[in-house]
Every structure is written in C-alpha cells, then in structure tokens.
Amino acid sequence: MEACMDFLDRLDPDILLKIFTYVDDPYDLVRVSSVSRSWRHFVIANGLWKQLCLRKFSQLSRVTHVVELNQCWAVGAVEVGSTYLKEWEYLERDDRAYALLARASTTFIDRDCISKAISASSTDNYPQESIYNTLHPANNVRGRASYWSSKGQSNPAVPETLVYKLVDDFCVITEINLRPFQVYFHEGLPIYSAKSVRFRMGHPKSPTDSGNDLPGYSLPDSADDKFVWTYTSQEFPMAQESHLQKFRLPEPVLCVGGILQIELLGRVQRCEIDGLYYICISLVQVLGRPLSPAFGVEILEPCGKF
C-alpha cells in the first residue's frame, strides 16, 4: 500500500499561500478547509477567508477589527503564557466571520434595497415632481403622473444627482435600474433621459447623520459635503427610452454605510415650451441583499475605518 502524503508538508509555505489565493469560490474554500485538520489549520492561520473577501470587496480593507457580540475577547486580559492561545482565538473568530460573509454575499436572491429617498440636486416643481416619486412602481399615483424632474438648464452638459438611503448599512448591490419618464402631456411625447449614468456608494461623514433629517428636494450643499464615497462605478450609457433600463455592475459591490448616489450625466431632450433641457426619472430600483441581522457595521470617525 502506498504511503499517504500531504503536499502541505512538502511545499514552501509561500508557494502554498500563492496556490491557495487562486481559490476564489467560497464553496471551494469550504472544501479545502474540510480536507484535513492540517488544511483547516492552514486556512485559519493564513486568513484565507479574509483574503478572499478582500479580493471581492476592496472596501473591507478599511475594517480595523471584527467583533462577535456573543464572544467579545478582552485583549487586555491575556495571561502570561496564553498569548498564542488568544491569538489563535482571534484568528478563528475572523475565519468564522469572513467565511460567513463570503458565502452570504455570493448566494442570495436579489431584492429591492432602497429604504427611502434622501435628496435630489434640483427639483423643478416640489413636491409634485420630487425624488419621492421615483420609489413608486406604478406610472401613475392617484390618477396623476408620478416622476422626478430636474430644473431646466440651457446647458445640456449640466449633471444631476439623486441620493437614496438603502435598507441596511451593510448591503451587497448587484444591479441598479432606472426608468426615464416620457411626458405624454407634451407634444411629441418626449422622453427626458440622461446621456449616461454613474453610481456612487458610501456613508455619511458624521455618524449621527443617517440621512433621515436631510430634505427631500435638494441639499443645501453638495452631497460630497455630507457623504464619503467608497465606491464609484464606471459610466453607463443611457437610452432615450421609457422602459426600465437595467445597469448590472461588473462585480457585486459591498456598500458600507447604506448611501447610494445616482449621477445623471448630460441631457438629451429640450422642452419645446421653454427651450430648456430636463432630466425626468419615474422609477429607481436597487437590487442586492442586506447582510443584517448576521452582520452590522460601525463607522469610526474621523478616520473612516469600519
């Protein structure tokens, strides 16, 4: 009978680590951890679950530490001779947390993740044409058209922004959908879409400012004065069509802080009544998965760590 051999004992640790960094599927890493005790030990000791999560979500590089609410280890209470044991407990804690996060963020059914509308950079006729109207799935509410409209501009290059609060401060977002509004009560039935769209995700600058007290029509200052953006997408072209247009992100994005900004870049439709360019949106959907109650996040100010 041939002797069994564990190649973990035969290869240089740096080479082994390089090999295992190519494992990018959570279920493959589960299988790696299940091979033997030595393989499980290697996964934990080298933080392979954390490395996998960092490759998928760069925002996690700002995490200072992980806390398990049912097992909060007291760092200052380490006894002489038990330092290694405590360090191993920390490694096991991180292993559990990042393993759960990796699986939860990749295996789920998308749902709408918008909680509320916060603000628009401008509104033509408030409250009749406010950002709140973009949360209604129907084209008409109580017999009238439901949409948000920007103020008119003579320069078609002037952008607009819409800011929303997500259902959780810790969400994985995969897709954002927009429906431009077709003004059926104007001659020619014009569609007031943007030329292109871009998405930002982040958190309030102040931990006490959740966005709940911000106005629904326009921010007194730029949104950049209120929020920190930790993710900015590529620019997606937008069609001048009134159907729901889907913008799937190249990779799922971890939104830490629960704030989404939609940048509407460029205008294509001039209003025949006043000769100005407008952007009008009738529906916004954000698809993904909130990670609570399994996970929560605390933003540490002013350093911006999590």
Side-chain angles (χ1 to χ4, degrees):
M1 181 180 296
E2 295 184 4
C4 295
M5 181 184 69
D6 188 341
F7 77 86
L8 291 185
D9 299 328
R10 301 299 181 94
L11 295 179
D12 181 80
D14 291 337
I15 295 177
L16 286 172
L17 192 57
K18 183 69 174 179
I19 292 172
F20 280 114
T21 57
Y22 286 97
V23 179
D24 58 2
D25 187 307
Y27 288 97
D28 287 339
L29 194 52
V30 169
R31 296 183 182 97
V32 168
S33 300
S34 303
V35 170
S36 66
R37 288 183 179 179
S38 63
W39 284 45
R40 171 71 175 156
H41 186 282
F42 185 87
V43 169
I44 296 174
N46 291 279
L48 294 187
W49 278 111
K50 181 178 181 179
Q51 292 189 43
L52 185 149
C53 287
L54 285 170
R55 291 196 298 273
K56 289 184 176 294
F57 306 117
S58 61
Q59 294 83 2
L60 291 174
S61 63
R62 299 169 66 188
V63 172
T64 61
H65 60 277
V66 173
V67 174
E68 285 182 306
L69 296 185
N70 60 336
Q71 296 184 29
C72 295
W73 303 109
V75 177
V78 178
E79 298 177 359
V80 177
S82 64
T83 301
Y84 174 79
L85 177 61
K86 287 298 181 183
E87 289 179 351
W88 185 253
E89 288 173 344
Y90 297 147
L91 289 172
E92 288 184 313
R93 175 201 59 197
D94 285 6
D95 179 82
R96 289 190 296 271
Y98 283 105
L100 178 59
L101 177 60
R103 296 196 295 270
S105 62
T106 55
T107 57
F108 57 85
I109 300 175
D110 286 345
R111 51 164 285 193
D112 195 348
C113 287
I114 287 185
S115 170
K116 62 169 289 185
I118 294 179
S119 68
S121 52
S122 77
T123 300
D124 187 45
N125 185 19
Y126 185 87
Q128 288 79 9
E129 297 174 334
S130 87
I131 185 177
Y132 297 127
N133 294 333
T134 63
L135 302 182
H136 297 292
N139 252 344
N140 294 280
V141 177
R142 296 180 182 176
R144 60 174 295 274
S146 175
Y147 61 95
W148 162 81
S149 175
S150 71
K151 288 186 177 296
Q153 297 285 345
S154 58
N155 180 3
V158 175
E160 297 284 350
T161 59
L162 303 175
V163 180
Y164 297 89
K165 181 75 173 68
L166 302 182
V167 294
D168 192 63
D169 287 342
F170 215 38
C171 291
V172 175
I173 303 302
T174 58
E175 182 175 301
I176 300 168
N177 303 327
L178 307 176
R179 184 168 66 209
F181 182 63
Q182 184 171 21
V183 185
Y184 61 85
F185 44 83
H186 284 184
E187 185 177 353
L189 305 179
I191 300 173
Y192 290 91
S193 69
K195 285 186 177 180
S196 60
V197 63
R198 184 167 55 204
F199 309 108
R200 297 178 187 268
M201 300 182 205
H203 60 85
K205 284 188 174 180
S206 170
T208 60
D209 183 8
S210 64
N212 293 328
D213 59 343
L214 297 177
Y217 49 98
S218 63
L219 283 171
D221 303 304
S222 167
D224 292 341
D225 296 329
K226 290 282 186 180
F227 306 109
V228 175
W229 306 117
T230 57
Y231 169 82
T232 300
S233 78
Q234 67 192 75
E235 192 172 321
F236 297 89
M238 198 171 188
Q240 195 174 10
E241 301 172 356
S242 62
H243 64 81
L244 190 65
Q245 300 182 33
K246 299 183 178 182
F247 304 97
R248 190 160 188 88
L249 302 174
E251 298 289 341
V253 175
L254 183 64
C255 180
V256 181
I259 300 295
L260 167 74
Q261 182 189 72
I262 299 174
E263 294 183 282
L264 300 160
L265 307 172
R267 302 161 188 247
V268 296
Q269 183 64 53
R270 187 200 300 264
C271 177
E272 294 296 330
I273 297 175
D274 59 12
L276 300 177
Y277 290 89
Y278 292 82
I279 301 175
C280 300
I281 301 294
S282 61
L283 180 62
V284 174
Q285 291 180 340
V286 180
L287 300 183
R289 183 189 185 187
L291 295 175
S292 65
F295 291 96
V297 61
E298 179 182 358
I299 298 170
L300 308 175
E301 294 296 340
C303 64
K305 299 292 185 178
F306 309 139

PDB file of all heavy atoms in Angstrom, residues 32-50:
ATOM      1  N   VAL A  32     -11.660  22.988   0.764  1.00  0.00           N
ATOM      2  CA  VAL A  32     -10.258  22.994   1.188  1.00  0.00           C
ATOM      3  C   VAL A  32     -10.162  22.840   2.706  1.00  0.00           C
ATOM      4  O   VAL A  32      -9.352  22.062   3.229  1.00  0.00           O
ATOM      5  CB  VAL A  32      -9.573  24.298   0.732  1.00  0.00           C
ATOM      6  CG1 VAL A  32      -8.206  24.453   1.412  1.00  0.00           C
ATOM      7  CG2 VAL A  32      -9.402  24.315  -0.778  1.00  0.00           C
ATOM      8  N   SER A  33     -11.027  23.582   3.425  1.00  0.00           N
ATOM      9  CA  SER A  33     -10.996  23.532   4.893  1.00  0.00           C
ATOM     10  C   SER A  33     -11.423  22.185   5.437  1.00  0.00           C
ATOM     11  O   SER A  33     -11.147  21.863   6.608  1.00  0.00           O
ATOM     12  CB  SER A  33     -11.911  24.619   5.461  1.00  0.00           C
ATOM     13  OG  SER A  33     -11.504  25.901   5.047  1.00  0.00           O
ATOM     14  N   SER A  34     -12.109  21.387   4.616  1.00  0.00           N
ATOM     15  CA  SER A  34     -12.661  20.116   5.088  1.00  0.00           C
ATOM     16  C   SER A  34     -11.764  18.920   4.786  1.00  0.00           C
ATOM     17  O   SER A  34     -12.084  17.802   5.173  1.00  0.00           O
ATOM     18  CB  SER A  34     -14.040  19.876   4.454  1.00  0.00           C
ATOM     19  OG  SER A  34     -14.918  20.953   4.739  1.00  0.00           O
ATOM     20  N   VAL A  35     -10.642  19.146   4.097  1.00  0.00           N
ATOM     21  CA  VAL A  35      -9.791  18.029   3.697  1.00  0.00           C
ATOM     22  C   VAL A  35      -9.195  17.319   4.910  1.00  0.00           C
ATOM     23  O   VAL A  35      -9.255  16.094   5.042  1.00  0.00           O
ATOM     24  CB  VAL A  35      -8.670  18.516   2.753  1.00  0.00           C
ATOM     25  CG1 VAL A  35      -7.629  17.409   2.528  1.00  0.00           C
ATOM     26  CG2 VAL A  35      -9.269  18.967   1.421  1.00  0.00           C
ATOM     27  N   SER A  36      -8.615  18.106   5.804  1.00  0.00           N
ATOM     28  CA  SER A  36      -7.953  17.528   6.991  1.00  0.00           C
ATOM     29  C   SER A  36      -7.735  18.631   8.017  1.00  0.00           C
ATOM     30  O   SER A  36      -7.941  19.811   7.742  1.00  0.00           O
ATOM     31  CB  SER A  36      -6.603  16.902   6.608  1.00  0.00           C
ATOM     32  OG  SER A  36      -5.695  17.915   6.183  1.00  0.00           O
ATOM     33  N   ARG A  37      -7.288  18.234   9.201  1.00  0.00           N
ATOM     34  CA  ARG A  37      -7.007  19.218  10.241  1.00  0.00           C
ATOM     35  C   ARG A  37      -5.876  20.151   9.830  1.00  0.00           C
ATOM     36  O   ARG A  37      -5.901  21.359  10.127  1.00  0.00           O
ATOM     37  CB  ARG A  37      -6.647  18.507  11.543  1.00  0.00           C
ATOM     38  CG  ARG A  37      -7.825  17.833  12.235  1.00  0.00           C
ATOM     39  CD  ARG A  37      -7.393  17.225  13.559  1.00  0.00           C
ATOM     40  NE  ARG A  37      -8.531  16.591  14.239  1.00  0.00           N
ATOM     41  CZ  ARG A  37      -8.433  15.978  15.403  1.00  0.00           C
ATOM     42  NH1 ARG A  37      -7.246  15.914  16.023  1.00  0.00           N
ATOM     43  NH2 ARG A  37      -9.504  15.427  15.968  1.00  0.00           N
ATOM     44  N   SER A  38      -4.859  19.606   9.175  1.00  0.00           N
ATOM     45  CA  SER A  38      -3.720  20.437   8.780  1.00  0.00           C
ATOM     46  C   SER A  38      -4.139  21.474   7.740  1.00  0.00           C
ATOM     47  O   SER A  38      -3.671  22.624   7.766  1.00  0.00           O
ATOM     48  CB  SER A  38      -2.577  19.572   8.238  1.00  0.00           C
ATOM     49  OG  SER A  38      -2.980  18.887   7.063  1.00  0.00           O
ATOM     50  N   TRP A  39      -5.024  21.084   6.807  1.00  0.00           N
ATOM     51  CA  TRP A  39      -5.509  22.033   5.816  1.00  0.00           C
ATOM     52  C   TRP A  39      -6.380  23.101   6.478  1.00  0.00           C
ATOM     53  O   TRP A  39      -6.303  24.274   6.140  1.00  0.00           O
ATOM     54  CB  TRP A  39      -6.299  21.313   4.726  1.00  0.00           C
ATOM     55  CG  TRP A  39      -5.433  20.572   3.750  1.00  0.00           C
ATOM     56  CD1 TRP A  39      -4.376  19.763   4.045  1.00  0.00           C
ATOM     57  CD2 TRP A  39      -5.544  20.592   2.330  1.00  0.00           C
ATOM     58  NE1 TRP A  39      -3.826  19.241   2.900  1.00  0.00           N
ATOM     59  CE2 TRP A  39      -4.525  19.743   1.819  1.00  0.00           C
ATOM     60  CE3 TRP A  39      -6.396  21.207   1.433  1.00  0.00           C
ATOM     61  CZ2 TRP A  39      -4.344  19.522   0.462  1.00  0.00           C
ATOM     62  CZ3 TRP A  39      -6.228  20.992   0.070  1.00  0.00           C
ATOM     63  CH2 TRP A  39      -5.206  20.166  -0.403  1.00  0.00           C
ATOM     64  N   ARG A  40      -7.221  22.674   7.419  1.00  0.00           N
ATOM     65  CA  ARG A  40      -8.050  23.626   8.148  1.00  0.00           C
ATOM     66  C   ARG A  40      -7.177  24.625   8.912  1.00  0.00           C
ATOM     67  O   ARG A  40      -7.449  25.828   8.916  1.00  0.00           O
ATOM     68  CB  ARG A  40      -8.954  22.860   9.123  1.00  0.00           C
ATOM     69  CG  ARG A  40      -9.723  23.714  10.118  1.00  0.00           C
ATOM     70  CD  ARG A  40     -10.811  24.499   9.462  1.00  0.00           C
ATOM     71  NE  ARG A  40     -11.614  25.223  10.435  1.00  0.00           N
ATOM     72  CZ  ARG A  40     -12.308  26.319  10.146  1.00  0.00           C
ATOM     73  NH1 ARG A  40     -12.292  26.807   8.924  1.00  0.00           N
ATOM     74  NH2 ARG A  40     -13.023  26.915  11.077  1.00  0.00           N
ATOM     75  N   HIS A  41      -6.133  24.114   9.538  1.00  0.00           N
ATOM     76  CA  HIS A  41      -5.201  24.964  10.274  1.00  0.00           C
ATOM     77  C   HIS A  41      -4.532  25.967   9.331  1.00  0.00           C
ATOM     78  O   HIS A  41      -4.366  27.152   9.672  1.00  0.00           O
ATOM     79  CB  HIS A  41      -4.141  24.095  10.969  1.00  0.00           C
ATOM     80  CG  HIS A  41      -3.224  24.867  11.875  1.00  0.00           C
ATOM     81  ND1 HIS A  41      -2.173  25.621  11.394  1.00  0.00           N
ATOM     82  CD2 HIS A  41      -3.207  25.003  13.235  1.00  0.00           C
ATOM     83  CE1 HIS A  41      -1.541  26.189  12.408  1.00  0.00           C
ATOM     84  NE2 HIS A  41      -2.141  25.827  13.529  1.00  0.00           N
ATOM     85  N   PHE A  42      -4.159  25.522   8.143  1.00  0.00           N
ATOM     86  CA  PHE A  42      -3.505  26.398   7.167  1.00  0.00           C
ATOM     87  C   PHE A  42      -4.443  27.523   6.740  1.00  0.00           C
ATOM     88  O   PHE A  42      -4.025  28.682   6.620  1.00  0.00           O
ATOM     89  CB  PHE A  42      -3.060  25.581   5.949  1.00  0.00           C
ATOM     90  CG  PHE A  42      -2.265  26.373   4.942  1.00  0.00           C
ATOM     91  CD1 PHE A  42      -0.895  26.495   5.083  1.00  0.00           C
ATOM     92  CD2 PHE A  42      -2.889  26.986   3.870  1.00  0.00           C
ATOM     93  CE1 PHE A  42      -0.149  27.231   4.165  1.00  0.00           C
ATOM     94  CE2 PHE A  42      -2.158  27.715   2.943  1.00  0.00           C
ATOM     95  CZ  PHE A  42      -0.778  27.846   3.088  1.00  0.00           C
ATOM     96  N   VAL A  43      -5.718  27.206   6.500  1.00  0.00           N
ATOM     97  CA  VAL A  43      -6.703  28.211   6.088  1.00  0.00           C
ATOM     98  C   VAL A  43      -6.854  29.281   7.159  1.00  0.00           C
ATOM     99  O   VAL A  43      -6.860  30.484   6.879  1.00  0.00           O
ATOM    100  CB  VAL A  43      -8.061  27.548   5.786  1.00  0.00           C
ATOM    101  CG1 VAL A  43      -9.161  28.606   5.625  1.00  0.00           C
ATOM    102  CG2 VAL A  43      -7.975  26.693   4.528  1.00  0.00           C
ATOM    103  N   ILE A  44      -6.967  28.848   8.422  1.00  0.00           N
ATOM    104  CA  ILE A  44      -7.168  29.794   9.522  1.00  0.00           C
ATOM    105  C   ILE A  44      -5.911  30.623   9.762  1.00  0.00           C
ATOM    106  O   ILE A  44      -5.973  31.857   9.882  1.00  0.00           O
ATOM    107  CB  ILE A  44      -7.565  29.051  10.813  1.00  0.00           C
ATOM    108  CG1 ILE A  44      -8.918  28.354  10.631  1.00  0.00           C
ATOM    109  CG2 ILE A  44      -7.617  30.013  11.996  1.00  0.00           C
ATOM    110  CD1 ILE A  44      -9.325  27.485  11.814  1.00  0.00           C
ATOM    111  N   ALA A  45      -4.769  29.975   9.821  1.00  0.00           N
ATOM    112  CA  ALA A  45      -3.525  30.665  10.156  1.00  0.00           C
ATOM    113  C   ALA A  45      -3.161  31.729   9.135  1.00  0.00           C
ATOM    114  O   ALA A  45      -2.547  32.748   9.480  1.00  0.00           O
ATOM    115  CB  ALA A  45      -2.388  29.645  10.292  1.00  0.00           C
ATOM    116  N   ASN A  46      -3.539  31.523   7.883  1.00  0.00           N
ATOM    117  CA  ASN A  46      -3.185  32.466   6.822  1.00  0.00           C
ATOM    118  C   ASN A  46      -4.337  33.388   6.431  1.00  0.00           C
ATOM    119  O   ASN A  46      -4.213  34.155   5.473  1.00  0.00           O
ATOM    120  CB  ASN A  46      -2.682  31.705   5.593  1.00  0.00           C
ATOM    121  CG  ASN A  46      -1.333  31.055   5.827  1.00  0.00           C
ATOM    122  OD1 ASN A  46      -0.290  31.700   5.743  1.00  0.00           O
ATOM    123  ND2 ASN A  46      -1.357  29.763   6.134  1.00  0.00           N
ATOM    124  N   GLY A  47      -5.435  33.292   7.175  1.00  0.00           N
ATOM    125  CA  GLY A  47      -6.557  34.202   6.917  1.00  0.00           C
ATOM    126  C   GLY A  47      -7.075  34.125   5.495  1.00  0.00           C
ATOM    127  O   GLY A  47      -7.355  35.153   4.869  1.00  0.00           O
ATOM    128  N   LEU A  48      -7.217  32.910   4.953  1.00  0.00           N
ATOM    129  CA  LEU A  48      -7.613  32.769   3.547  1.00  0.00           C
ATOM    130  C   LEU A  48      -9.030  33.279   3.285  1.00  0.00           C
ATOM    131  O   LEU A  48      -9.318  33.797   2.209  1.00  0.00           O
ATOM    132  CB  LEU A  48      -7.486  31.309   3.110  1.00  0.00           C
ATOM    133  CG  LEU A  48      -6.060  30.750   3.071  1.00  0.00           C
ATOM    134  CD1 LEU A  48      -6.054  29.352   2.467  1.00  0.00           C
ATOM    135  CD2 LEU A  48      -5.131  31.676   2.281  1.00  0.00           C
ATOM    136  N   TRP A  49      -9.932  33.147   4.276  1.00  0.00           N
ATOM    137  CA  TRP A  49     -11.283  33.678   4.074  1.00  0.00           C
ATOM    138  C   TRP A  49     -11.253  35.202   3.993  1.00  0.00           C
ATOM    139  O   TRP A  49     -11.952  35.803   3.166  1.00  0.00           O
ATOM    140  CB  TRP A  49     -12.208  33.220   5.204  1.00  0.00           C
ATOM    141  CG  TRP A  49     -12.754  31.841   5.027  1.00  0.00           C
ATOM    142  CD1 TRP A  49     -12.460  30.742   5.761  1.00  0.00           C
ATOM    143  CD2 TRP A  49     -13.695  31.414   4.029  1.00  0.00           C
ATOM    144  NE1 TRP A  49     -13.156  29.646   5.299  1.00  0.00           N
ATOM    145  CE2 TRP A  49     -13.923  30.028   4.245  1.00  0.00           C
ATOM    146  CE3 TRP A  49     -14.360  32.052   2.986  1.00  0.00           C
ATOM    147  CZ2 TRP A  49     -14.792  29.288   3.448  1.00  0.00           C
ATOM    148  CZ3 TRP A  49     -15.227  31.319   2.185  1.00  0.00           C
ATOM    149  CH2 TRP A  49     -15.434  29.954   2.416  1.00  0.00           C
ATOM    150  N   LYS A  50     -10.465  35.819   4.836  1.00  0.00           N
ATOM    151  CA  LYS A  50     -10.346  37.277   4.799  1.00  0.00           C
ATOM    152  C   LYS A  50      -9.743  37.730   3.475  1.00  0.00           C
ATOM    153  O   LYS A  50     -10.215  38.708   2.868  1.00  0.00           O
ATOM    154  CB  LYS A  50      -9.496  37.762   5.970  1.00  0.00           C
ATOM    155  CG  LYS A  50      -9.337  39.279   6.014  1.00  0.00           C
ATOM    156  CD  LYS A  50      -8.532  39.713   7.229  1.00  0.00           C
ATOM    157  CE  LYS A  50      -8.398  41.235   7.285  1.00  0.00           C
ATOM    158  NZ  LYS A  50      -7.646  41.676   8.479  1.00  0.00           N
TER     159      LYS A  50
END
